Amino acid sequence: MSSGGFANRTWQEWLSSLPAFFLLLGVIAYTTSADIHAQLLKLGQSTWDSYFDLRNDPQAPTCDPSINIDAELARLVATHKAEAVEDEFGLFDDEPLDTESMRESLENSKSLCQEKFESFESIQGQMTTGVIIYRTVERFVADVVAFGLSAQKFILAFLVLICAATATLSRHQIAMRPMESALDHRWSSLLQFIANSMLFYSSIEFWALSYVGKESIDAAREGIHASWVIGFGLLAICSLYQLVNIPKDAKKGGSFGHAMLSVPLYTQMCLISGTYFMLQGHTAGIGVYLDKMMDFSDMFLNLGLYVWTGMMLKETRLASLVFNTFRPFRMPTELLAFVAVVVAAVPTAYTGASGIFVIAVGAVIYQELRRAGARRQLALATTAMSGSMGVVLRPCLLVVIIAYLNRDVTTDELFYWGNRVFFLTAFLFLAFVWLTRDKEVKNNPAPLSQAIPEALKLMLPILPYVVIVAGVVIFYHVVLDTALNEFSAPRILPVMMLGFLVYEHFTRKRVSSASVAMAGDSDHVEPEYQGIERATRTSINETTAHIGALLLLMGLSVSIGGVMERSGVMELFPTVFDSQFAAMTALVVLLVFVGMVMDPYGAVILVNATVAVIAFDSGIEPLHFWMVCLVAFELGYLSPPVALNHLLTRQVVGEDEVDQARNEGTTFWRRHEKILLPLLTMGTALLLVAYVPLWYMSN
């Protein structure tokens, strides 16, 4: 049996990757089924005028269409007279009967009854075999959609817990430093065990709290509570297993400081928030805030689909082929880095979060920059920034959420100024990367007359991918009446990636890797292609670990937001500032800090509920404030000591590359370029976005 056979699959593939694969496919299935169902209803109505009546078996009317008007009228008159005789005390006025009105009413009722029977017989007559088969299919699709929507929260809970257990057992959680020594492993596993035990206990308390004042709770809520309790119990067992099974290849010794830095960020957040809530006597606190993920289950499931999309993209040749088209120009690596961050802004706008994009495509960008000759520090800086510029572009979901939460701004306004912020940030990146280039390196750009024909030739292999993209987009638009936007992208992009994998399965040659070199790059050897099954399996394996690490971190960042909200930290902030410049300065510092410790979606919700009103009352325009907010968040994700985008970059690139980067360069800038270049770019952009409009309005 080949290496890709069933016998050689690991425990992770059987117990986590395979279930995660079916869960993600299920999300795509029921969300796409909603589009299919809408089209089935339209087609049914256009084929049969009364299809909405044909969807269900008609019920025969209970009235009598052949009623004798005269006999019924006589019966009603007799009944009225009998009731008058029984009224011996004269309690009711003996009003004369209006027999003409009664007859008219009976005739109308008879006419309406006959119409009901005619409609019933007409529907029965149209109930052909074709209608019955069609409505059976349509109602089945409707049931799939209804089941998917009702199971959406369960899917998210299972996905988070399965993937979190995988990330824990594979030591793939996001931390500021990797675990290297035995001391690192011991302290990290111990604190993870304590944190997971806190989550387990808090979930039990939250479950019990749900019964307060109630005899019972909804069965679905009961199931969610049970899922959290069982899942966090298993997580605690996983971390306990890691504690007693230190890897044999772990280095001896180690320092306490490094060990603390190797503790995953979600663990640190859980210990902080859990300790706070327990001291406040609110032991269910973490469970309450973590459960808020269920209110945005569709959003978090979409993030999982985006991660899977990126992992499948990494298994294709598309990114390499795109970068190949720039090689004939022999442009400096600094200019190529600029091209990379600008091109990456478009897919980032669909994912809606820079961290998601770094996880999804960061490894591809880093590899291609290194292949083009970029130094490691520059490649790491570019990878960390690759998603930072696109969060202000249409159709970024984060901007849509801001507009949804605030009636003072619209998406059109935010995207209009977002385009200008994007061009500003791109220009600053180009300026700083060019000013800090290696001046000793002599560039020899190719003549355009030579480079353009070669680049056009290298674009030919990309055309099939363009055809696949166009085909999928046209299919969804024409057949399902669904355009590619921020709402449909999560279910459409994975279909495109699967199309790429199918195409490559039938076109890539299975030859020795030693004989396969990328066009225009004789130093790069393309790995041997193993087929669609291996590519899909590899992508879902990586997706599982990344989803577990990222979604658990996002969930615990919500609890940190709860601590900030309940502790009154925000109340220490002045409610209004006399000076707009003073208000902006304080807000910039606070927003950057929030961006350092919270995921973007949770941060927007927290800021909208607490900080936004302070800005507005201090005279800062809502549109101006939210643009500052978006840029400040991105600076926060790039700022030490947390620097989440750098942590995600290290996770997808590999610790070996980061270690080698630390030893490169002879100047302070070169040794720390991966941190300094993003800080300088986004920091300058933030200062300009924050203060130039205030200065302009004050003059």
Side-chain angles (χ1 to χ4, degrees):
M1 186 174 289
S2 67
S3 60
F6 290 104
N8 293 296
R9 296 196 178 192
T10 65
W11 66 266
Q12 176 185 338
E13 292 173 321
W14 284 115
L15 299 180
S16 65
S17 298
L18 190 61
F21 173 72
F22 284 118
L23 288 173
L24 292 173
L25 277 185
V27 175
I28 296 175
Y30 81 75
T31 52
T32 303
S33 295
D35 300 326
I36 296 174
H37 184 246
Q39 293 305 104
L40 287 175
L41 289 176
K42 290 181 180 179
L43 179 61
Q45 188 63 26
S46 63
T47 306
W48 302 281
D49 292 337
S50 55
Y51 178 71
F52 286 102
D53 295 323
L54 297 172
R55 292 186 72 237
N56 300 297
D57 292 325
Q59 299 294 323
T62 57
C63 58
D64 184 3
S66 58
I67 187 174
N68 187 308
I69 300 295
D70 293 330
E72 180 65 14
L73 179 61
R75 186 186 67 80
L76 292 176
V77 171
T79 302
H80 178 78
K81 289 180 178 180
E83 291 176 349
V85 171
E86 293 177 359
D87 185 19
E88 56 180 330
F89 297 106
L91 298 177
F92 304 99
D93 294 334
D94 188 14
E95 296 182 1
L97 286 175
D98 187 353
T99 56
E100 291 300 321
S101 295
M102 293 176 65
R103 177 181 293 280
E104 183 179 353
S105 177
L106 288 172
E107 289 175 349
N108 290 336
S109 297
K110 180 178 180 179
S111 176
L112 181 61
C113 183
Q114 290 173 345
E115 290 177 3
K116 289 181 179 180
F117 268 92
E118 290 175 1
S119 176
F120 170 71
E121 292 170 357
S122 174
I123 292 174
Q124 274 194 321
Q126 297 179 61
M127 198 63 71
T128 62
T129 303
V131 171
I132 294 174
I133 294 175
Y134 186 87
R135 76 171 188 177
T136 301
V137 174
E138 180 263 309
R139 288 163 65 176
F140 171 77
V141 176
D143 291 339
V144 171
V145 176
F147 174 79
L149 292 175
S150 63
Q152 189 170 254
K153 294 182 178 180
F154 287 98
I155 294 174
L156 176 60
F158 293 154
L159 189 67
V160 170
L161 295 170
I162 290 172
C163 296
T166 304
T168 298
L169 291 174
S170 60
R171 296 180 172 86
H172 202 80
Q173 297 288 4
I174 301 171
M176 299 184 71
R177 291 288 185 272
M179 292 180 284
E180 297 176 348
S181 68
L183 186 65
D184 297 343
H185 285 277
R186 189 170 294 111
W187 273 105
S188 179
S189 299
L190 174 61
L191 294 180
Q192 285 185 68
F193 172 71
I194 296 174
N196 292 331
S197 299
M198 280 184 170
L199 290 169
F200 174 67
Y201 179 70
S202 182
S203 298
I204 294 176
E205 290 293 297
F206 181 38
W207 194 353
L209 185 64
S210 301
Y211 279 95
V212 175
K214 303 177 184 177
E215 294 182 359
S216 63
I217 60 176
D218 181 74
R221 292 300 308 163
E222 188 92 18
I224 293 294
H225 284 307
S227 300
W228 286 132
V229 170
I230 295 172
F232 289 131
L234 292 176
L235 268 184
I237 294 173
C238 291
S239 53
L240 182 61
Y241 173 82
Q242 296 291 72
L243 178 62
V244 298
N245 288 274
I246 305 299
K248 296 180 180 179
D249 58 350
K251 298 178 182 178
K252 295 182 179 180
S255 65
F256 180 77
H258 192 285
M260 290 298 98
L261 292 176
S262 67
V263 176
L265 292 180
Y266 95 88
T267 300
Q268 299 178 31
M269 292 180 176
C270 182
L271 293 174
I272 294 171
S273 57
T275 302
Y276 171 81
F277 286 126
M278 287 184 179
L279 291 176
Q280 295 293 316
H282 185 37
T283 52
I286 310 180
V288 171
Y289 281 97
L290 191 62
D291 190 69
K292 289 184 181 294
M293 291 180 69
M294 298 296 101
D295 297 333
F296 302 95
S297 54
D298 55 342
M299 181 183 73
F300 286 105
L301 288 174
N302 288 344
L303 296 182
L305 291 174
Y306 281 130
V307 174
W308 187 28
T309 297
M311 294 303 102
M312 285 192 285
L313 176 61
K314 194 169 70 170
E315 294 300 313
T316 71
R317 301 173 63 225
L318 181 58
S320 298
L321 293 173
V322 171
F323 272 86
N324 270 347
T325 61
F326 296 107
R327 291 199 176 99
F329 296 92
R330 296 200 298 269
M331 63 179 64
T333 55
E334 290 82 4
L335 186 57
L336 185 61
F338 165 74
V339 171
V341 296
V342 171
V343 171
V346 176
T348 302
Y350 282 92
T351 62
S354 58
I356 299 296
F357 183 81
V358 171
I359 281 184
V361 191
V364 178
I365 292 177
Y366 180 82
Q367 292 167 4
E368 294 304 324
L369 286 173
R370 287 288 297 144
R371 191 173 298 151
R375 54 189 178 274
R376 286 186 174 85
Q377 287 283 344
L378 177 59
L380 289 172
T382 304
T383 303
M385 282 198 67
S386 58
S388 297
M389 297 185 186
V391 295
V392 293
L393 298 179
R394 189 182 296 273
C396 179
L397 182 58
L398 191 60
V399 176
V400 175
I401 292 175
I402 291 174
Y404 174 78
L405 295 174
N406 294 266
R407 295 184 179 181
D408 297 320
V409 293
T410 65
T411 53
D412 288 339
E413 292 173 332
L414 289 168
F415 286 130
Y416 175 83
W417 287 104
N419 290 334
R420 282 145 182 78
V421 171
F422 165 72
F423 286 113
L424 170 66
T425 310
F427 170 78
L428 290 172
F429 179 83
L430 177 61
F432 290 132
V433 79
W434 191 255
L435 290 173
T436 58
R437 71 187 186 281
D438 287 325
K439 297 181 177 59
E440 298 81 6
V441 178
K442 301 299 182 181
N443 297 309
N444 185 24
L448 292 181
S449 59
Q450 174 186 341
I452 292 178
E454 291 183 17
L456 292 175
K457 183 178 180 181
L458 290 173
M459 287 182 183
L460 293 178
I462 302 177
L463 292 181
Y465 297 91
V466 176
V467 171
I468 293 173
V469 170
V472 172
V473 171
I474 292 173
F475 172 81
Y476 272 87
H477 181 69
V478 175
V479 178
L480 301 181
D481 194 24
T482 302
L484 179 61
N485 52 38
E486 67 270 25
F487 305 107
S488 62
R491 62 181 179 271
I492 295 179
L493 295 180
V495 176
M496 290 182 184
M497 296 303 112
L498 288 171
F500 293 168
L501 294 178
V502 171
Y503 164 73
E504 293 192 357
H505 178 74
F506 291 103
T507 57
R508 289 178 67 173
K509 297 180 180 179
R510 296 171 176 81
V511 296
S512 172
S513 60
S515 63
V516 182
M518 294 298 298
D521 184 9
S522 59
D523 294 330
H524 168 59
V525 176
E526 183 183 353
E528 181 181 0
Y529 183 65
Q530 299 293 333
I532 187 172
E533 191 271 344
R534 175 66 67 85
T536 304
R537 185 148 54 94
T538 301
S539 68
I540 198 65
N541 287 344
E542 295 180 354
T543 299
T544 304
H546 286 312
I547 288 177
L550 188 62
L551 290 188
L552 197 57
L553 177 62
M554 286 185 167
L556 268 299
S557 73
V558 175
S559 70
I560 289 292
V563 171
M564 295 173 63
E565 186 177 10
R566 292 172 62 95
S567 64
V569 171
M570 294 301 182
E571 296 177 3
L572 300 177
F573 215 66
T575 57
V576 66
F577 289 83
D578 295 331
S579 168
Q580 290 183 348
F581 286 90
M584 182 60 72
T585 302
L587 290 170
V588 163
V589 174
L590 179 62
L591 292 173
V592 172
F593 172 76
V594 171
M596 291 171 59
V597 298
M598 292 191 67
D599 75 277
Y601 300 101
V604 163
I605 295 172
L606 175 66
V607 167
N608 179 71
T610 56
V611 180
V613 65
I614 300 174
F616 304 157
D617 290 344
S618 299
I620 297 175
E621 292 294 326
L623 180 61
H624 184 198
F625 169 76
W626 285 114
M627 295 312 302
V628 171
C629 187
L630 289 171
V631 180
F633 283 173
E634 289 306 317
L635 178 59
Y637 305 144
L638 295 165
S639 301
V642 181
L644 181 59
N645 280 11
H646 288 288
L647 296 181
L648 297 176
T649 297
R650 190 192 70 204
Q651 188 153 326
V652 298
V653 168
E655 188 62 27
D656 291 340
E657 287 295 310
V658 178
D659 286 339
Q660 293 184 56
R662 294 192 187 104
N663 300 322
E664 289 184 348
T666 57
T667 64
F668 180 81
W669 176 270
R670 283 288 178 261
R671 289 193 300 271
H672 304 283
E673 186 176 16
K674 71 183 182 71
I675 295 291
L676 297 178
L677 179 59
L679 287 182
L680 186 59
T681 301
M682 297 306 299
T684 304
L686 178 58
L687 292 176
L688 292 175
V689 172
Y691 292 106
V692 169
L694 291 183
W695 173 82
Y696 177 80
M697 293 174 63
S698 64
N699 292 309

